[in-house]
Amino acid sequence: GTLQVHSVRAVEERRARAAKPARATADDSRLERSRQADEQLGNEREGIACGLPPPNTHQACLGRPGSEHAQQPQQPPARPSPSQKHQQEQHQINVTAEAWPRPQTSSGSKLQQHTSATRAASGSNCKWQQRRMLQGAAAQGGMGMLQGSWGRPRYWPSPVVPLLALVLLVTALTPGCGAAEEVVLTTGTLKFADIDVFYRMYDGLPKDTPVVMFLHGARYTSQDWVDIGTLKYVRDRGYRTIAVDLPGHGSTGQLPYVDNNMRAEMVKAAMDFSGMGSNVTESGAVLVSPSMSGKWAIPFLDRYGLMLKGWVAVAPVGVVNWGGPWEYTHKKVSLLAMYGENDPMLPQAEYLQKLFGKARKAVISDAGHACYMDNTKQFNDELGRFITANIHVPNPKLGHEEGPEQ
């Protein structure tokens, strides 16, 4: 009986010893499966950080299936330690800095091939993959990469766009480049006494630009200076030009009464307005007054003659009964007396010249009393020479500055 009991105990002990390694093996298997599940969960989270769905995380981050870098999802590689990950990242940065190609935008470029190779060799490091994707997108958008001192890529804009903008700016600001300047004729009224004086003007110039103001004859208006091109001709030489309709003519109403004082004040008001806020006495002004408008110009010269640099008297009315300007105006203001070759008033030119210290006569060939209408080209040429000889202004056509005659 004792032998039998010992035999039973021995059998049970042998069974216990046999079962104990099996239980340890099962526990180890459960621990391994738990470890693998934790690792898979970590890879899935890492794949989500890359912007990829969890089932395809390993395939997207480690390379496409079938490539030389593809790995089996059933056997994921061991996650590298932080030091190993830093070494791999630094190695890829060094390789990129040494062999980074010139950015290209065409499909199948070296940049795309280099980016794909780097992404395939980057292992499971999704942050590095994101960096390479941003780098490729930056290259496609005209960006370049600069290697930072601490191993992080830096980006700077391509110099092509700023250089192009600079070229366009220089072209726009350089005279003679780009589109031709468009000069716009403006019209309006200026207030004087109880009426609105109508004017036509070419401007678009700096405030202190010299002014040339045109009056008109009895049968004409400011529109005639526009029609024959004289107003724009003088503007193209660098001067602000304005032509006014005298009271009772064109689009300007009639004054309640007219005397020499009223005429002088009206011309002065128009001259002040033409300065556009600047002092026309300092910047320079020339008055052009043909025929009937001489009755408006002469009173202005008597009172405000020092505002002018020059007076262009085109067969003016009222010269015979005028004793001339006062002394300072006589010395300072230059005179250009223009008459038509066939004008019966031509003999008055000699008398008018004696009233000014600096005077010159110009006879317009094949022209009558309204010589500016009969021979506009010669009239404009004489007018242009006189203005540029008496007012300093940069000449846009000649490219230099002209001054008074000696």
Side-chain angles (χ1 to χ4, degrees), residues 98-331:
E98 293 175 0
W100 182 251
R102 186 179 183 90
Q104 300 181 14
T105 57
S106 60
S107 59
S109 62
K110 293 182 179 180
L111 173 62
Q112 295 174 342
Q113 297 171 7
H114 181 81
T115 304
S116 301
T118 305
R119 183 171 63 246
S122 62
S124 59
N125 190 348
C126 292
K127 292 184 179 179
W128 177 248
Q129 184 188 18
Q130 286 181 338
R131 193 176 302 165
R132 306 310 307 150
M133 294 171 64
L134 289 174
Q135 199 171 37
Q140 294 290 342
M143 304 287 286
M145 187 187 79
L146 176 65
Q147 183 64 39
S149 59
W150 57 89
R152 302 184 66 180
R154 297 298 183 93
Y155 301 95
W156 75 93
S158 172
V160 175
V161 175
L163 287 177
L164 179 59
L166 179 61
V167 170
L168 293 177
L169 178 62
V170 172
T171 302
L173 298 179
T174 302
C177 296
E181 179 187 8
E182 181 181 0
V183 181
V184 179
L185 177 68
T186 60
T187 60
T189 59
L190 61 98
K191 200 72 178 176
F192 174 71
D194 295 331
I195 64 173
D196 293 325
V197 179
F198 186 81
Y199 68 85
R200 293 175 170 88
M201 180 169 60
Y202 283 114
D203 195 4
L205 295 167
K207 185 174 67 173
D208 57 350
T209 300
V211 176
V212 179
M213 190 169 77
F214 293 80
L215 305 181
H216 59 81
R219 294 188 301 145
Y220 303 97
T221 66
S222 61
Q223 181 63 45
D224 293 288
W225 293 115
V226 177
D227 293 342
I228 65 177
T230 302
L231 203 65
K232 189 173 184 301
Y233 171 82
V234 178
R235 164 59 179 79
D236 290 342
R237 298 180 72 88
Y239 302 90
R240 180 183 298 115
T241 55
I242 181 172
V244 300
D245 287 345
L246 294 171
H249 298 79
S251 300
T252 301
Q254 183 72 48
L255 285 169
Y257 69 96
V258 179
D259 58 10
N260 285 341
N261 182 64
M262 187 70 75
R263 293 186 180 101
E265 295 299 328
M266 200 287 297
V267 176
K268 180 182 182 298
M271 188 67 71
D272 289 336
F273 173 82
S274 66
M276 297 288 105
S278 66
N279 189 336
V280 296
T281 303
E282 297 179 357
S283 59
V286 170
L287 178 64
V288 181
S289 58
S291 190
M292 176 273 298
S293 62
K295 294 190 300 183
W296 296 79
I298 290 175
F300 173 77
L301 285 165
D302 287 337
R303 291 168 174 80
Y304 305 107
L306 292 178
M307 293 180 66
L308 300 178
K309 297 290 185 183
W311 178 36
V312 181
V314 187
V317 174
V319 171
V320 176
N321 300 324
W322 185 39
W326 65 305
E327 183 180 1
Y328 290 130
T329 302
H330 168 83
K331 294 179 179 180

Side-chain angles (χ1 to χ4, degrees), residues 233 312 336 338 360-364 376-388:
Y233 171 82
V312 181
L336 174 63
M338 284 207 285
R360 182 169 67 87
K361 179 179 70 173
V363 178
I364 307 302
T376 303
K377 184 181 184 307
Q378 185 181 353
F379 176 86
N380 288 346
D381 291 342
E382 295 287 350
L383 177 63
R385 280 193 292 269
F386 175 78
I387 293 173
T388 55

